[in-house]
Amino acid sequence: MKKKLLQYLACPLCGGGDIRLRAVAEEDGIEIMSGDLECANCERSFPIVRGIPRFANLEEIEEEKQATAESYGWSWQQFSQDDARYDEQFLAWIAPVRPEFFAGKVVLEGGCGKGRHTQRIARWGASDVVAVDLGPAVEVAFAATRDLENAHIIQADIYHLPLHRVFDYAFSVGVLHHLPNPRAGFKSLISKVKQGGYASAWIYGAENNGWIVRVINPLRREVTSKISRRLLFHLSKIPTAIMYGATKLIYRPLNSSRRGAPIARHLFYGDYLSSIAGFNWREQHLIVFDHLVAPTAFYIPREEFEEWWRDVNATDVVIGWHNKNSWRGFGRLPE
Ligand SMILES: C[S@@+](CC[C@H](N)C(=O)[O-])C[C@H]1O[C@@H](n2cnc3c(N)ncnc32)[C@H](O)[C@@H]1O
Ligand SMILES: [Zn+2]
């Protein structure tokens, strides 16, 4: 944990007391690797373990949330690789935001996984980016960002963020639909954005996802999220092989010819499969595994997503299709 993070921290237990350093046991360069934090108001303490401040203890978290966070933690440890295509993929999830937007901003990321986006935002010139995840993914995110003096990783629940309301921009990519109550998770994230600040969210859509909702969702809920992760890791290579074959033999060649591109868009999941056709085997395996491992997933209609933004009184809201099977939203919070 970098000392600079302290200015953003607020006690999640007593309604926002400042957090101060009580003890430092070990340091490594700019990181405090172990020690204790405490609330200046209620004096409750929070440990810093392996460089990460811990505001959530997975063992005390509700079972459903715990299972999701643990499954993803395991997933990010297996798939810790970086990929040059993540830039483009991330920007498509948060459009119309561009890298220049981050310059000088204080940014909050809800559910950072392995920290691939945290890393990018820090490099794109954010003043600071504070990234939160509930599960063991924080260990991977910490390793990926520890050398960036403006990147900070925290273990915490998105519903109980240990942060002051000081952020210029908050975003969450691929997380809210895995929460037991997605709308409440969105509101909690937004509650940390200062007046006149901005927010983005990307979620699974209900529209155009009929067969996933009918076939894959029950399979995920009843089978694939319950079997051993290692077994799922290997079994998920079967659907990956089918998707990989289709994208490399059909979608990609069609998309690289001018006449073929319009045809590719009309094929099964044309926009989506075309968008991932450039990814290698490992990335496609990650995508399939990621879809099958989570115990909870909601598919959210556009109308409901629009309500989330109305509920927080956002203005200048831009909601758009992402690959015609999911929704991305961007908006500004009132002054
Ligand atoms: C599909 S991953 C997306 C990670 C990252 N945004 C990305 O796109 O690479 C979902 C992440 O949300 C985290 N998560 C799940 N429930 C959470 C909660 N209640 N609070 C914070 N993070 C949570 C999981 O641990 C997981 O790392
Ligand atoms: Zn407190």
Side-chain angles (χ1 to χ4, degrees), residues 11-17 19 39-44 46:
C11 180
L13 302 178
C14 73
I19 298 288
C39 170
N41 182 36
C42 71
E43 296 187 350
R44 276 181 276 204
F46 306 94

Side-chain angles (χ1 to χ4, degrees), residues 105-220:
K105 290 208 166 58
V106 180
V107 177
L108 166 61
E109 175 174 10
C112 63
K114 61 179 165 176
R116 54 181 170 172
H117 304 141
T118 325
Q119 223 175 29
R120 285 170 166 75
I121 291 166
R123 296 206 175 105
W124 288 338
S127 160
D128 279 302
V129 49
V130 178
V132 173
D133 203 285
L134 180 59
V138 287
E139 315 287 340
V140 187
F142 177 75
T145 57
R146 60 181 297 174
D147 297 330
L148 298 163
E149 53 84 28
N150 52 346
H152 311 273
I153 307 295
I154 298 178
Q155 185 167 19
D157 186 350
I158 204 166
Y159 291 106
H160 306 285
L161 291 166
L163 297 164
H164 288 300
R165 187 183 173 190
V166 289
F167 291 87
D168 297 310
Y169 175 63
F171 76 97
S172 184
V173 159
V175 177
L176 300 171
H177 48 236
H178 292 305
L179 299 174
N181 181 342
R183 187 194 293 241
F186 176 74
K187 275 195 173 168
S188 176
L189 186 79
I190 298 291
S191 73
K192 302 302 171 190
V193 178
K194 68 183 193 192
Q195 291 180 338
Y198 300 86
S200 290
W202 172 71
I203 50 161
Y204 291 165
E207 297 84 348
N208 272 359
N209 264 337
W211 79 279
I212 296 226
V213 176
R214 279 192 309 274
V215 182
I216 303 292
N217 205 27
L219 190 71
R220 176 222 326 275

Side-chain angles (χ1 to χ4, degrees), residues 9 27 32 34 78 81 96 98 103 122 131 134 142 156 174 254 286 300:
L9 295 179
E27 288 182 83
I32 299 166
S34 73
Q78 308 308 309
Q81 77 277 2
R98 300 292 306 162
L134 180 59
F142 177 75
L254 280 177
L286 163 62
I300 296 157

